[in-house]
Amino acid sequence: MRRPSLDAPPRFDIAKVSGGHIVLTSDTAARVHIFVLEEDIIRVLVLPDGELKQPRSWAIAPGEADTPDEGRHRLGAAGFSRPAATRRLEGRTLILETSRIRLTVDLDDFKCRWQIFDGEWKSAARDRPTQAYNFGWWGGRVRHYLARDPDELYFGLGERSGDQNRAGRRFRLGALDAFGYSARTSDPLYKHIPFTITRRPVENLSYGLFYDTLSDGAFDLGCERDNYHGLYRGFEAEHGDLDYYFIAGPDLGDVVRRFTWLTGRPALMPTWSLGFSGSSMALADAPDAEKRLTGYLDECQAREVPCPSFHLSSGYTGAAGKRHVFTWNAEKFPDPARFVKAFAGRGVRLVANIKPALLTDHPKFAEASAKDLLIAEADGAPALVQFWDGLAAYLDFTNPDTVLWWKAEIKKSLLDFGVAAAWNDNNEFEIWSDRALSTLGPARETRALQPLLMMRASRQAQIEHTPIRRPFVVSRSGSAGMHRYAQTWSGDNATSWETLRYNLKMGLGLALSGVSNSGHDVGGFAGPPPDPELFARWVEAGVFMPRFSIHSWNDDGSVNAPWMHESVADKVAALIRLRARFEPYLSYLSWCYARDFEPIWRPTFYDLPDDPATWGESDDFMLGPSLLVAPVVTPGATKRAVHAPAGADWIDPWTGTRFAGGRMAMLDAPLGRPPFLARVGSLIPVNLAPARFGETPMEPGFLLFPPDQGDVSLELYADDGESPVDVAVVVPSARISAHCDADRIRVSARGLAAVTQKSILLPPGEKRPLTLTRD
C-alpha cells in the first residue's frame, strides 16, 4: 500500500455492506466505517491506519441504564434499530439516505456532506474542502475540520465558561481541579463532554456532533483562522480514534433528547436529593467538627430551615490535616456510627466526600500498591502525582479488582455506619506522565474514563448494600454518560456577581449536553464571603436549580450558611422553604428527564425556538416547560427585565400580572422574592404542607395558570421517592386536567384522592370560580 500525500490522498472503495454497516477501504491503510444507526443518527469511524486505538466505548448506551463493565466494542451496533437506508453510487460519490439524513461521501478525497429533511432537504454540515481528516498530515493526532458559516451558533460542550453560544472560542477538552475559576473565561474546567450542537439560523435547523473519545484535545469554534482553508471549525484529540455521531434535528430539542438517549438513561435520584443540602468545608475541617456540625442542624431547626441532607466534606477523614479516604478522624469523630445516627435521627442524610487517590502515607497505600490497584509505572511502582496534601497515586478503576476494593471500602467505612450516599470529589485524574499505566495502557490517554467508572462503582456499592433504596451519587468530574450515575455541580466557583451570572450559563450548557441534574455552590465556594445582597440573590437562583446546596471555603474561615447574614436570614430561610414547596415539580421533571430524556432546566430557546430573541444571550432559563426563571445578577437591582418569549402568554405568580409573549416584562424584584414567570396554560405540582426541619409531610397541591379558553392537563407517576423503579416501563397513575372558559374553571382529578378544591391554587386576581370533580 502507498503512503498518502497531500497531492494524493487516500481513494476509497466500498468493501463491505452489512445491514446499516458500510466499510470503505483505501489504496493506503486507511479504513472508514459508516453506521446507519437510526433514522436520525449516522456514525462515521475514520481509521487512518486501519486499526482501532481505543477499541471500546463507555459513553454509548442507547436508552439503557448502563454499559457492559468492559464497555462496548466500537464495531458493534447493539441497541440501535439500524433502519434500512437507500444507498446509491453516482460516479465516485456515495449517497446514503434515511428519512431524516442524507450523507454524501466523496470517495476520491474523503469528504462528507450532511443534509437534514425538514419538509425539504436542507444543508446542515460539510467537511472543510482541504485536509478535513488526518491521513498523516499532522502526525498521530486525531483531527476533523468542517466548513464554518459565519452565522452559525454553537452550544453544548458541557460546562464551559462564558456565553452559551460558543462561537468564536477555542476550548480545551480535558478536566482540571480549577479551584476559584473564572466562570467567564477559565478553561478547561471539570467535565469532558465532546458534544456540540450547531444552530443554522438561515435553514432554521440544528444538528449535533458527538466525538466519542476518551482523550484530551480541543474544539475550535471559529477562533482560529487560516487563509488556505477558508472559514472552518475543528476538533482534535491527542490520542484514540476519530469516531463521531451525526444527530439530525431539525429542532434543537430533538438533538438534546437524542444525544441524552444515545449516552444512556438518566438515573432517577431519591426525592430527598432534590431538597436543600447543607455543607461547608470549614465545618468538617474544624477541630471541634462534630460539635459545629451538630450546631448547624440546631440552627436549621431553630430557624425552620428544611435540610433533608448534608454534604460531609473530607475533613472527617484522616489525621493531622491529611485527607485519607475511607478513614475517620478519631479525634474529631470518636464514634462515627453514633454521629451518623444522630443526623439520621433528625431526618438528615449524610453524603460523604470520597477521593480517588491514596496519599503515600495513607494506611492502605502499601496494600493497594501490592494488589496492583493503583495507576503505576511499567515496573509496578505507583505513578505519583500531586494531590491535596502531598504526593499520591490514583486508583485504577479500569481494574476490576480496584472496583471490588472500592465498593467494599464504601460499604465498610461509610454505608455500614448509616451514611446515605457518596460524594465523588477531586476526581479529575490529573495524570500527565506517559509512563503512568492503567490496565488499558497509558493512563493519560483514557483520563476521562476513570471518573465515569469511579461514580459507577460508587453507585453499585449502594445498590449492593441496600437494594431496596434508590442510590445517590454526586460527582464533580465526569464525561459523556455521567448522567446515568450521578448528580453534579460546577465545582469550586469564585464568589462574585460575575460567577452568579456565568454559572447559570454553565449549568444550561451541561443540560444541553445530556447532564441536567446539576447546580452550583450557592454563594460561591472560593474567595471572600458573599455580602448579604449577593448571598440572597444567589439563593434565589439556587432555589430553581435541580441541585441546591450552599457550600463554601471562604478565605476568612467563615461559613456560608442560611443565617450567615442576620439582615437577610429570614429571607433566606423563606426561600429554602419555597424550594421545598416546588420539590414535587422538580420530582416530576426528574421523571421526564429519566423517562423521556427531557432536560430539567434549559435555555428559553429549547421550548420557544420560533422567537428569535430567545437565541440571544440572556440571564434567564426555563425550569421545565412551565416556569421562566429570571435571576437577579446585578447588585442594587430592585426590578428585573426579562423577555417573555413569543408563542405563549405569561403570568407573574407573585402579583398575577399577565404578559403577552414577544415583549419585555418588567418584574418587581425586592430582595428575597425571586422574579419568575409561569406559562399560561400550565399545571405545576407543589407541596402545600408547611416546610420545616426534619421530615416534611406531603400535602399535594397544584398551581394552575389557566388560559382564557382551553384545556390544561398533567399526568403524574406514583413514586414513593425512595424505592428503585424502572422508569422505562412505568405508566402514569394519576391525571389532573382543567377545562377553562370565560365563566368558570372545571378541574377533574383521577388517582389523586388527597386533592381537594382547596388544593388547586389560582394566580392572584383570577376571578373565575373553580369546581373540582373526580373521574
Side-chain angles (χ1 to χ4, degrees), residues 127-139:
D127 286 337
R128 190 176 78 176
T130 51
Q131 293 98 56
Y133 300 88
N134 186 10
F135 293 117
W137 325 138
W138 302 282

Side-chain angles (χ1 to χ4, degrees), residues 28-293:
T28 69
R31 184 179 292 251
V32 173
H33 296 263
I34 300 174
F35 300 84
V36 180
L37 300 174
E38 301 288 341
E39 297 287 348
D40 57 349
I41 303 177
I42 292 181
R43 174 186 168 209
V44 177
L45 173 61
V46 180
L47 305 176
D49 301 323
E51 302 293 334
L52 284 165
K53 295 181 176 63
Q54 290 179 353
R56 294 194 172 272
S57 168
W58 285 261
I60 304 302
E64 299 296 329
D66 209 345
T67 64
D69 287 349
E70 70 278 10
R72 293 167 54 100
H73 198 281
R74 286 190 186 270
L75 295 183
F80 294 100
S81 65
R82 290 174 280 181
T86 61
R87 185 183 73 255
R88 64 182 187 273
L89 271 175
E90 295 182 359
R92 294 285 296 160
T93 299
L94 169 65
I95 302 172
L96 293 173
E97 194 173 296
T98 73
S99 62
R100 302 278 296 278
I101 300 174
R102 178 186 288 164
L103 168 60
T104 303
V105 182
D106 181 347
L107 298 176
D108 278 338
D109 182 9
F110 185 76
K111 300 286 188 303
C112 294
R113 184 163 61 90
W114 305 84
Q115 294 170 281
I116 294 174
F117 189 78
D118 182 24
E120 59 180 330
W121 287 107
K122 296 181 178 180
S123 295
R126 64 192 188 282
D127 286 337
R128 190 176 78 176
T130 51
Q131 293 98 56
Y133 300 88
N134 186 10
F135 293 117
W137 325 138
W138 302 282
R141 293 175 72 93
V142 173
R143 293 184 186 251
H144 182 209
Y145 293 99
L146 294 101
R148 176 176 62 85
D149 291 340
D151 61 346
E152 289 179 337
L153 286 69
Y154 307 118
F155 304 98
L157 289 179
E159 66 180 12
R160 293 290 170 176
S161 63
D163 291 339
Q164 289 185 71
N165 177 14
R166 319 297 194 195
R169 291 195 63 187
R170 181 179 176 87
F171 297 95
R172 284 174 58 191
L173 181 63
L176 291 178
D177 184 346
F179 177 85
Y181 63 85
S182 164
R184 184 175 62 85
T185 62
S186 290
D187 180 71
L189 296 173
Y190 301 90
K191 312 293 192 298
H192 177 291
I193 304 181
F195 170 66
T196 61
I197 305 169
T198 300
R199 161 75 175 171
R200 292 176 60 85
V202 174
E203 291 82 5
N204 191 29
L205 62 79
S206 299
Y207 67 86
L209 281 175
F210 173 56
Y211 294 89
D212 187 4
T213 182
L214 297 170
S215 300
D216 288 359
F219 280 84
D220 191 292
L221 300 176
C223 179
E224 179 180 295
R225 287 176 177 254
D226 187 331
N227 178 58
Y228 302 109
H229 301 288
L231 294 180
Y232 61 89
R233 51 185 281 209
F235 162 76
E236 61 184 79
E238 295 176 4
H239 313 282
D241 305 295
L242 178 59
D243 186 2
Y244 70 92
Y245 292 71
F246 179 92
I247 304 173
D251 293 335
L252 179 136
D254 298 332
V255 178
V256 172
R257 289 185 294 273
R258 200 52 150 164
F259 174 68
T260 309
W261 172 87
L262 176 68
T263 49
R265 187 172 296 280
L268 185 67
M269 307 291 182
T271 54
W272 60 259
S273 69
L274 297 172
F276 168 65
S277 188
S279 187
S280 176
M281 191 170 155
L283 296 178
D285 267 40
D288 57 344
E290 187 167 355
K291 177 181 178 181
R292 295 191 66 185
L293 288 163

Side-chain angles (χ1 to χ4, degrees), residues 477-746:
S477 186
S479 55
M482 67 180 295
H483 59 280
R484 303 191 298 256
Y485 315 119
Q487 183 188 79
T488 190
W489 84 106
S490 59
D492 296 344
N493 54 358
T495 302
S496 70
W497 285 94
E498 181 179 89
T499 301
L500 170 58
R501 166 173 283 167
Y502 284 98
N503 267 174
L504 298 173
K505 301 171 190 291
M506 288 170 61
L508 298 177
L510 268 174
L512 294 180
S513 305
V515 183
S516 187
N517 193 338
S518 70
H520 312 288
D521 281 350
V522 169
F525 180 81
D531 64 37
E533 183 188 12
L534 175 58
F535 183 63
R537 291 304 192 190
W538 212 315
V539 173
E540 290 176 11
V543 162
F544 294 101
M545 296 176 188
R547 172 179 168 84
F548 178 39
S549 180
I550 296 174
H551 185 44
S552 61
W553 180 245
N554 295 336
D555 289 347
D556 62 0
S558 63
V559 172
N560 286 1
W563 45 85
M564 68 181 299
H565 296 296
E566 200 59 50
S567 62
V568 295
D570 288 346
K571 291 181 172 62
V572 170
L575 287 166
I576 296 174
R577 292 191 290 271
L578 177 67
R579 165 60 172 234
R581 171 159 289 202
F582 277 105
E583 282 173 25
Y585 182 51
L586 286 158
S587 179
Y588 167 75
L589 295 178
S590 297
W591 268 86
C592 295
Y593 181 40
R595 183 176 173 85
D596 303 319
F597 312 99
E598 288 277 7
I600 299 172
W601 58 324
R602 58 264 198 147
T604 53
F605 56 68
Y606 180 94
D607 292 277
L608 297 146
D610 293 333
D611 183 343
T614 63
W615 295 95
E617 291 299 323
S618 66
D619 302 314
D620 51 39
F621 61 88
M622 296 293 298
L623 181 62
S626 301
L627 295 184
L628 170 55
V629 182
V632 175
V633 295
T634 54
T638 58
K639 292 184 178 293
R640 174 65 155 89
V642 60
H643 177 74
D649 287 341
W650 304 88
I651 291 178
D652 181 344
W654 297 109
T655 65
T657 304
R658 186 159 169 167
F659 300 93
R663 67 182 185 87
M664 295 299 294
M666 184 61 71
L667 308 180
D668 289 330
L671 198 65
R673 196 179 88 179
F676 67 108
L677 295 173
R679 192 171 182 167
V680 172
S682 59
L683 266 165
I684 297 173
V686 293
N687 183 8
L688 298 179
R692 59 177 184 264
F693 178 76
E695 295 295 336
T696 300
M698 174 59 68
E699 182 184 338
F702 295 88
L703 304 182
L704 171 60
F705 298 94
D708 295 336
Q709 192 86 25
D711 298 324
V712 184
S713 65
L714 182 71
E715 292 185 323
L716 299 169
Y717 304 90
D719 184 13
D720 64 11
E722 189 86 9
S723 303
V725 60
D726 183 355
V727 298
V729 300
V730 174
V731 297
S733 59
R735 178 184 175 89
I736 185 165
S737 58
H739 176 73
C740 308
D741 57 33
D743 299 320
R744 65 180 58 248
I745 299 168
R746 299 177 177 87

Side-chain angles (χ1 to χ4, degrees), residues 389-564:
D389 312 294
L391 296 179
Y394 284 107
L395 291 156
D396 179 11
F397 287 90
T398 70
N399 182 348
D401 291 338
T402 303
V403 172
L404 291 174
W405 181 88
W406 180 262
K407 292 193 293 185
E409 291 294 325
I410 288 178
K411 296 171 191 175
K412 179 175 63 176
S413 303
L414 299 174
L415 302 182
D416 284 353
F417 289 141
V419 169
W423 170 11
N424 290 9
D425 198 13
N426 298 103
N427 54 342
E428 290 73 35
F429 285 82
E430 294 194 28
I431 302 166
W432 313 117
S433 170
D434 291 328
R435 300 189 305 272
L437 302 175
S438 73
T439 65
L440 300 180
R444 66 175 300 182
E445 296 185 9
T446 55
R447 287 182 56 219
L449 177 60
Q450 295 282 352
L452 197 71
L453 299 184
M454 176 190 176
M455 67 185 83
R456 178 166 73 176
S458 299
R459 178 178 171 84
Q460 288 174 347
Q462 294 177 57
I463 294 172
E464 293 169 8
H465 186 271
T466 315
I468 62 171
R469 292 181 184 170
R470 224 173 272 176
F472 176 60
V473 176
V474 60
S475 180
R476 187 171 77 177
S477 186
S479 55
M482 67 180 295
H483 59 280
R484 303 191 298 256
Y485 315 119
Q487 183 188 79
T488 190
W489 84 106
S490 59
D492 296 344
N493 54 358
T495 302
S496 70
W497 285 94
E498 181 179 89
T499 301
L500 170 58
R501 166 173 283 167
Y502 284 98
N503 267 174
L504 298 173
K505 301 171 190 291
M506 288 170 61
L508 298 177
L510 268 174
L512 294 180
S513 305
V515 183
S516 187
N517 193 338
S518 70
H520 312 288
D521 281 350
V522 169
F525 180 81
D531 64 37
E533 183 188 12
L534 175 58
F535 183 63
R537 291 304 192 190
W538 212 315
V539 173
E540 290 176 11
V543 162
F544 294 101
M545 296 176 188
R547 172 179 168 84
F548 178 39
S549 180
I550 296 174
H551 185 44
S552 61
W553 180 245
N554 295 336
D555 289 347
D556 62 0
S558 63
V559 172
N560 286 1
W563 45 85
M564 68 181 299

